């Protein structure tokens, strides 16, 4: 599929699902890595990641297009076009657009490891769990204003 065929497909989906014309450009963007598509607020163009079409097929591509067209039509009409907006959520449900695109089969799963640090108050024994290190000379216990000391640092995952 080339950019011209993609443009026609986006125009067809816009007319069938939204009953509105798509008056801007749709094209494949080879630089997209972590997303299936993108609606450009300033130009109103839609960019699509070709890998999603190649690896997951026509149905996935149509879902991505519907999702981006929800952003497009709501933005053009001056309604809530962001993911958190009720207008967006309602329109996505109405046209059957997916909230997220599927994970690509060739995408490696990221190994997510988290650091957890435990601090304890020397006076009252209150335990604090933190994601980042903190300066124990600067901060005191919120319960009794006693001195804090690092108890343990764990890496999870």
């Amino acid at each position: 599929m080339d950019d011209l065929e993609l443009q026609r497909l986006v125009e067809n989906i816009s007319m069938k699902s939204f009953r509105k014309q798509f008056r801007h450009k749709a094209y494949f963007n080879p630089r997209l890595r972590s997303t299936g598509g993108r609606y450009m607020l300033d130009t109103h163009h839609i960019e699509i990641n070709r890998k999603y079409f190649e690896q997951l097929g026509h149905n996935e591509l149509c879902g991505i297009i519907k999702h981006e067209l929800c952003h497009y039509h709501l933005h053009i009409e001056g309604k809530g076009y962001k993911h958190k907006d009720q207008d967006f959520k309602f329109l996505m449900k109405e046209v059957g657009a997916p909230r997220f695109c599927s994970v690509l089969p060739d995408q490696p799963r990221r190994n997510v490891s988290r650091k957890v640090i435990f601090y304890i108050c020397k006076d009252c024994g209150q335990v604090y769990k933190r994601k980042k290190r903190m300066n124990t000379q600067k901060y005191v216990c919120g319960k009794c204003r006693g001195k804090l000391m690092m108890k343990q640092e764990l890496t999870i995952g």
Side-chain angles (χ1 to χ4, degrees), residues 1 20-21 30 35-36 55 65 69-70 80 88 133 154 156:
M1 178 179 281
K20 297 172 187 167
Q21 272 192 321
T35 184
Q55 294 180 24
I65 291 169
L69 282 171
C70 287
F88 183 76
R133 285 179 172 259
L154 297 172
I156 302 168

Side-chain angles (χ1 to χ4, degrees), residues 26-49:
Y27 51 90
F28 288 110
N29 182 347
R31 292 183 310 277
L32 291 180
R33 296 260 184 251
S34 61
T35 184
R38 179 167 65 179
Y39 166 64
M40 308 300 288
L41 291 172
D42 53 343
T43 61
H44 305 296
H45 298 328
I46 291 177
E47 299 178 343
I48 302 291
N49 186 339

Side-chain angles (χ1 to χ4, degrees), residues 15-131:
M15 285 307 292
K16 283 180 184 172
S17 297
F18 298 86
R19 294 175 200 82
K20 297 172 187 167
Q21 272 192 321
F22 177 72
R23 300 177 189 270
H24 293 84
K25 290 185 180 172
Y27 51 90
F28 288 110
N29 182 347
R31 292 183 310 277
L32 291 180
R33 296 260 184 251
S34 61
T35 184
R38 179 167 65 179
Y39 166 64
M40 308 300 288
L41 291 172
D42 53 343
T43 61
H44 305 296
H45 298 328
I46 291 177
E47 299 178 343
I48 302 291
N49 186 339
R50 185 185 299 272
K51 282 185 180 180
Y52 280 84
F53 171 64
E54 291 170 349
Q55 294 180 24
L56 297 171
H58 185 77
N59 288 341
E60 183 72 18
L61 177 66
C62 290
I64 291 167
I65 291 169
K66 283 183 182 179
H67 179 99
E68 299 310 326
L69 282 171
C70 287
H71 289 298
Y72 171 81
H73 288 300
L74 290 170
H75 184 247
I76 297 286
E77 293 168 9
K79 296 180 180 176
Y81 61 88
K82 296 178 182 174
H83 289 114
K84 65 182 178 182
D85 295 327
Q86 286 303 115
D87 291 332
F88 183 76
K89 290 176 182 176
F90 178 76
L91 185 59
M92 281 209 343
K93 191 176 278 189
E94 191 178 298
V95 299
R99 174 74 174 85
F100 301 105
C101 49
S102 303
V103 178
L104 289 172
D106 74 346
Q107 232 173 17
R109 294 206 28 101
R110 293 188 308 174
N111 186 9
V112 180
S113 61
R114 291 182 212 105
K115 185 169 59 172
V116 180
I117 304 165
F118 293 94
Y119 292 91
I120 189 165
C121 175
K122 289 181 180 179
D123 296 342
C124 69
Q126 174 71 34
V127 178
Y128 296 93
K129 183 177 159 186
R130 296 288 180 264
K131 291 180 183 178

